[in-house]
Amino acid sequence: MQQELHILEEETNLFWGIIILVCTAGGTFLLAGTFMSMKWNILNFRQFTALILFFISFWGIFRLSEPLYHFIFRFDDDILVIDIYKGSIHFDSHKIAANNIEALKFAPDSPRSQNEALFDFSRTYHLMWKKKNGTRFQRMLSIESSRFTLKVDDIAKIMRFIRNRVPDVQIPSEQETYFNL
């Protein structure tokens, strides 16, 4: 039986990569020839716009270099322990009694609209769990003021890991079929 499950946050940096490229190129184009002349003036529209574009580029570089989350799932006796790391720094830990886990599901923050795809790769979908005798689902990986993205395959790995230890956990039939649980 698997002792620990390591899940790494997935992040596609295409958006910030394009923003950095476009803003740096635009800022460079706007400043072309500025330093050859004596007309440097911060109130000049082109120079002010170039500075804003460079600021956005630097902000994008910081966003790209931000460490990603790393989740480690393990069972200590009958307690599910979820250690959360941001990069290599321990960020938080969650503990859930295994016998308290009644159900698991993969769900969005808000209800799906009609004809919406069953699963989405957006940040609005989360792994949810329900306590025994509980009335509502709650996020299993809740981190205050933080948004992260997990792949659907990673959600399936987590569900499979928990089901191996808690075999009577309920999972919706369409998700069981989709995830091959």
Side-chain angles (χ1 to χ4, degrees):
M1 181 185 296
Q2 188 178 8
Q3 300 297 325
E4 285 186 347
L5 176 65
H6 293 261
I7 301 292
L8 299 172
E9 175 189 8
E10 293 294 321
E11 183 69 32
T12 54
N13 295 320
L14 182 61
F15 173 75
W16 281 108
I18 291 172
I19 293 295
I20 291 168
L21 178 69
V22 168
C23 288
T24 303
T28 303
F29 176 76
L30 289 174
L31 286 182
T34 300
F35 296 110
M36 298 300 183
S37 68
M38 298 304 255
K39 296 181 183 178
W40 177 260
N41 182 359
I42 193 66
L43 299 177
N44 183 309
F45 177 74
R46 289 175 60 128
Q47 293 165 350
F48 183 73
T49 304
L51 288 175
I52 290 174
L53 289 173
F54 285 133
F55 175 77
I56 293 170
S57 294
F58 286 124
W59 177 256
I61 291 169
F62 287 120
R63 294 289 306 207
L64 282 178
S65 63
E66 186 176 316
L68 300 177
Y69 285 100
H70 177 199
F71 303 97
I72 300 173
F73 292 80
R74 71 177 190 284
F75 280 96
D76 286 342
D77 296 324
D78 285 338
I79 305 289
L80 172 63
V81 179
I82 307 167
D83 290 320
I84 303 167
Y85 290 85
K86 186 152 181 149
S88 61
I89 299 170
H90 186 266
F91 185 75
D92 197 4
S93 288
H94 297 279
K95 295 181 180 184
I96 303 170
N99 59 1
N100 275 344
I101 302 173
E102 179 180 339
L104 295 171
K105 74 177 183 176
F106 185 50
D109 284 334
S110 57
R112 294 182 303 134
S113 62
Q114 188 176 10
N115 298 325
E116 185 180 350
L118 181 59
F119 300 114
D120 187 5
F121 292 96
S122 74
R123 295 173 185 226
T124 63
Y125 279 78
H126 304 282
L127 177 59
M128 309 292 277
W129 74 284
K130 183 169 79 168
K131 288 183 178 179
K132 287 206 190 249
N133 301 323
T135 57
R136 64 180 192 89
F137 281 87
Q138 58 190 354
R139 286 186 193 178
M140 182 166 279
L141 299 173
S142 60
I143 301 172
E144 290 295 321
S145 71
S146 180
R147 296 177 61 97
F148 54 88
T149 305
L150 294 177
K151 293 188 314 189
V152 173
D153 291 341
D154 291 336
I155 299 289
K157 288 177 189 175
I158 296 168
M159 292 172 120
R160 205 171 286 118
F161 180 77
I162 293 171
R163 181 170 253 183
N164 284 341
R165 190 65 180 254
V166 186
D168 60 336
V169 69
Q170 300 169 8
I171 298 173
S173 59
E174 70 273 1
Q175 292 181 12
E176 242 177 352
T177 304
Y178 184 81
F179 290 139
N180 197 20
L181 299 174

